[in-house]
Amino acid sequence: MNTPQPRSTDENEIVLGQGMGPLKFGASMDEVRTLMGEPEEIEESEDDDEFEHQAWNFLEEGYSLYFDREDDYRLSCIETDHPGMRLYGEPIHGKSLADIQELMRRHGHGQGEMEKVDTGEVRLSYEKEMIDLYFDEDELQFINFGVFIDDDLEVQWPK
């Protein structure tokens, strides 16, 4: 029996290297527009940015979706502070740094690298998994995650 795909990101399940809910890395702008509707705001990259891109901001839903020119403007990165976000089936918003490290460890990932960023948050990064998790006062606030890239810097689009 085929289960119909949800029409929104209510699902909020993050699958590393794949996407979130019905949003799959590699989707075209038109495919994303069909799923999400029009973004409330579209940001263009600055001239001095390393990668030319567009960011589609869905402020009310708590998502920013990134499309890189180099990747033919396909969905390559998602940033979210949605309170319903889940990773490996577990709710993660507001979790402590130690809780997130334990979750990642249970799923075969290392310790990750920590860095305090200029704005005061602590960033926990898993480079191979292409995910950065940002904590304020030891509570996960938002994450940024993207499509996997291999050792030769080739994008590994989900199949």
Side-chain angles (χ1 to χ4, degrees):
M1 176 169 119
N2 279 348
T3 307
Q5 279 289 321
R7 306 269 316 158
S8 72
T9 55
D10 290 344
E11 204 172 306
N12 295 309
E13 178 68 29
I14 296 161
V15 179
L16 297 177
Q18 302 288 313
M20 181 174 68
L23 290 170
K24 302 297 180 216
F25 294 131
S28 70
M29 290 176 157
D30 286 340
E31 290 167 331
V32 170
R33 190 176 281 115
T34 298
L35 278 172
M36 299 289 294
E38 289 297 323
E40 292 158 72
E41 176 181 280
I42 296 177
E43 294 178 50
E44 299 281 341
S45 55
E46 302 291 325
D47 290 338
D48 59 350
D49 280 352
E50 188 177 341
F51 297 105
E52 192 175 323
H53 67 273
Q54 275 191 13
W56 287 15
N57 298 321
F58 295 88
L59 305 172
E60 205 166 294
E61 292 91 348
Y63 307 111
S64 292
L65 310 177
Y66 293 85
F67 303 86
D68 291 334
R69 182 183 63 79
E70 184 177 290
D71 296 323
D72 299 321
Y73 289 104
R74 293 162 65 187
L75 179 63
S76 60
C77 183
I78 299 171
E79 184 172 284
T80 184
D81 64 357
H82 193 283
M85 62 181 153
R86 294 190 322 266
L87 182 61
Y88 296 113
E90 296 186 29
I92 59 172
H93 192 269
K95 294 280 188 190
S96 72
L97 185 70
D99 287 343
I100 296 299
Q101 287 176 312
E102 176 56 28
L103 173 66
M104 295 298 279
R105 225 182 351 267
R106 282 196 322 263
H107 291 277
H109 309 292
Q111 193 68 13
E113 293 182 27
M114 280 189 292
E115 176 185 5
K116 190 161 187 151
V117 294
D118 295 340
T119 52
E121 295 105 351
V122 171
R123 177 178 58 217
L124 176 62
S125 298
Y126 291 86
E127 188 175 342
K128 183 176 171 243
E129 293 81 7
M130 298 298 293
I131 185 170
D132 293 320
L133 304 105
Y134 293 84
F135 298 82
D136 189 24
E137 297 185 14
D138 200 35
E139 288 187 356
L140 180 63
Q141 299 299 311
F142 68 97
I143 65 169
N144 184 305
F145 62 104
V147 65
F148 288 161
I149 298 173
D150 70 13
D151 293 337
D152 297 322
L153 303 179
E154 294 293 322
V155 174
Q156 303 299 298
W157 297 112
K159 306 236 180 295

